Amino acid sequence: MRSREQDFSRWGERTKAIHAGEFPDPGTGASAPNLVMSTTFVVDADTSFSVEGMGEEDPFVYTRWGNPTIRQLEEKLAVLEDAETAVAFASGMSAATALLLHTLKAGDRAVVSDVAYAAVAEATNELFPGLGIEVVKVDTSDLDALAAALQPGVKLAYVETPCNPLLRLTDIGAAAEIVHRAGAKLAVDSTFATPVATKPLRLGADFVLHSLTKYIGGHGDALGGVLLGKAADLVPLRKKTSIRLGGTLSPFNAWLILRGLATLPLRMKAHEENARKVARYLETNPKVTRVIYPGLPSHPQHALAQRQMKNFSGMISFQTAQGKETARRFAEKLRFIHYAVSLGHHRSLIFYLHTEELLATSFPLATRKQRDSWKAFAGDGIFRLSVGLEDADDIIADLEQALQ
Ligand SMILES: *Cc1c(COP(=O)(O)O)cnc(C)c1O
């Protein structure tokens, strides 16, 4: 790939986000990346029919094996995350399940954040134990609990920071040391932070996962996921649990996400600026009982956030006295903020997460200490607010009128 021959290390984040991985089309000179909507490629007679012998730089054969548009996205992401290589997937969940199925087999153990993306929590509660893989759920923000969980046989520790929906952080550098001492690998879901805020591989993680559906795509129009890390891990993973399980990203989605990703550093700056203003406003609203934002001194782990996050991102959680009623009011009265799940879009989104319901479904926390930590961050329920790129004053006014 021509783009790889360039020395990206001297470039700033914005230049990388715009130019890394991309190159003008050699045939037409087109400046924008090509959208290659072809499932198959014309090859020579020596091409192998099996993916087994495929090299990373071999010509394209079939889009599930690799595609020029997807490849450009993977290369841009690898440069931005300081990774040797990247494998893109159809969704964040597809990336997560491919990672778990690649690193774990029957008889192995995994340690997983007790609070993580709901579908990750649910799959590791049910699907993986059903395959004979033991999953231990711990609050990974508690490093002693993490160390205690790393019993012999643990192959992988899976951490999300800041975690969805609590915005609780895990110290990646410290976790990496503990996990490696136990002979396991560390995976970090960095969807909420993005590469603009945190580079987990530099801090010692072995794998980074992003849902590209969120900040990286940034516009709420394409699902996608990615795994990043060392070539020694990801080259075999691409064959075993990407190509064979088939959670392949659509080239069209790759193209949309490439376009979104080009402005990621600019957008994250604006998301953070807006979120700080909105969080400060919420702290002054008498209807709001608690605000959690890593960028506020009131966040219980603000010092760690300052150390680990170069950008505090756009995710806020807050509580009101009557959560369910406020949720109903928001769904009816908000003028442009959408009452909807998902996050990281240019549009502001808000959704209520009810503690009792979640502890009975996605997060059956095992110990009193784990439930206390949930309560300390979420009380009886939280509003997860993904602060968009509208004018901060307008976002504040919309919340204000709906809270009245
Ligand atoms: C959304 C999300 C996922 C799952 O991503 P999809 O693209 O929806 O499959 C995983 N982790 C986090 C933190 C997320 O927010």
Side-chain angles (χ1 to χ4, degrees):
M1 286 281 126
R2 251 172 68 189
S3 59
R4 272 292 196 200
E5 288 156 21
Q6 305 227 22
D7 178 13
F8 296 107
S9 59
R10 289 177 296 117
W11 296 359
E13 295 283 300
R14 290 192 198 177
T15 312
K16 287 178 187 171
I18 292 170
H19 291 289
E22 298 187 12
F23 47 89
D25 176 56
T28 65
S31 161
N34 274 344
L35 168 54
V36 179
M37 291 298 285
S38 184
T39 56
T40 194
F41 296 83
V42 177
V43 293
D44 66 34
D46 292 328
T47 304
S48 168
F49 192 64
S50 164
V51 80
E52 202 55 56
M54 182 184 83
E56 288 279 296
E57 301 296 324
D58 284 359
F60 296 105
V61 178
Y62 187 56
T63 280
R64 183 157 41 71
W65 302 16
N67 168 286
T69 310
I70 300 170
R71 178 67 57 84
Q72 292 184 68
L73 174 64
E74 289 174 340
E75 297 211 347
K76 192 188 288 289
L77 286 164
V79 168
L80 284 169
E81 197 62 86
D82 260 356
E84 282 178 25
T85 193
V87 181
F89 291 87
S91 66
M93 276 315 296
S94 177
T97 52
L99 172 68
L100 294 169
L101 286 169
H102 178 70
T103 49
L104 302 165
K105 58 180 186 325
D108 287 342
R109 288 174 167 170
V111 173
V112 177
S113 279
D114 62 352
V115 181
Y117 183 70
V120 169
E122 289 157 10
T124 50
N125 288 342
E126 293 161 21
L127 178 64
F128 288 89
L131 299 173
I133 295 158
E134 190 190 336
V135 176
V136 183
K137 296 281 176 103
V138 291
D139 170 2
T140 56
S141 75
D142 177 348
L143 295 169
D144 294 332
L146 175 62
L150 287 161
Q151 297 295 315
V154 174
K155 294 279 159 54
L156 183 75
Y158 186 103
V159 161
E160 197 174 293
T161 181
C163 81
N164 187 357
L166 298 183
L167 301 177
R168 192 174 67 191
L169 311 183
T170 291
D171 183 331
I172 298 169
E177 244 187 82
I178 298 170
V179 169
H180 290 156
R181 226 183 294 135
K185 286 189 171 170
L186 176 66
V188 175
D189 180 338
S190 194
T191 299
F192 273 38
T194 83
V196 173
T198 307
K199 299 211 194 305
L201 298 171
R202 266 197 213 160
L203 297 172
D206 301 285
F207 297 98
V208 175
L209 180 149
H210 291 284
S211 168
L212 303 176
T213 317
K214 313 295 169 54
Y215 285 107
I216 288 179
H219 296 78
D221 49 16
L223 289 175
V226 71
L227 288 174
L228 302 113
K230 293 190 186 69
D233 291 316
L234 289 179
V235 170
L237 183 149
R238 186 191 293 280
K239 287 179 190 167
K240 287 185 189 161
T241 55
S242 169
I243 294 173
R244 290 183 189 140
L245 291 181
T248 312
L249 183 64
S250 157
F252 183 52
N253 281 9
W255 188 84
L256 287 171
I257 294 164
L258 260 176
R259 165 136 96 148
L261 180 49
T263 55
L264 182 72
L266 285 169
R267 286 188 287 106
M268 291 316 292
K269 200 167 168 226
H271 278 298
E272 179 192 52
E273 213 176 279
N274 273 0
R276 188 180 278 119
K277 286 183 189 159
V278 172
R280 286 209 181 114
Y281 153 74
L282 287 168
E283 279 199 323
T284 66
N285 188 308
K287 297 262 169 63
V288 174
T289 53
R290 181 86 196 272
V291 181
I292 293 190
Y293 179 61
L296 287 182
S298 57
H299 188 286
Q301 298 164 293
H302 182 58
L304 173 59
Q306 283 178 308
R307 251 191 300 131
Q308 190 163 280
M309 301 178 76
K310 259 174 51 187
N311 171 294
F312 296 119
S313 198
M315 297 305 299
I316 297 174
S317 80
F318 67 91
Q319 299 165 32
T320 64
Q322 305 283 332
K324 265 283 183 204
E325 268 166 48
T326 313
R328 241 170 252 125
R329 273 231 298 287
F330 278 153
E332 279 168 26
K333 290 179 69 180
L334 284 170
R335 289 182 181 138
F336 70 83
I337 298 173
H338 287 175
Y339 189 87
V341 297
S342 203
L343 56 107
H345 304 171
H346 56 329
R347 299 179 195 89
S348 290
L349 305 171
I350 194 165
F351 199 80
Y352 183 62
L353 297 113
H354 190 219
T355 286
E356 199 181 317
E357 181 194 317
L358 284 176
L359 295 188
T361 53
S362 312
F363 307 107
L365 301 177
T367 69
R368 176 70 190 265
K369 205 170 168 210
Q370 285 172 300
R371 289 191 292 274
D372 285 348
S373 177
W374 174 287
K375 284 271 186 171
F377 278 84
D380 294 334
I382 43 173
F383 290 91
R384 186 182 66 186
L385 173 61
S386 173
V387 179
L389 299 176
E390 303 94 341
D391 292 289
D393 290 345
D394 293 335
I395 299 170
I396 290 168
D398 203 9
L399 291 167
E400 172 90 12
Q401 63 83 23
L403 276 167
Q404 248 157 34

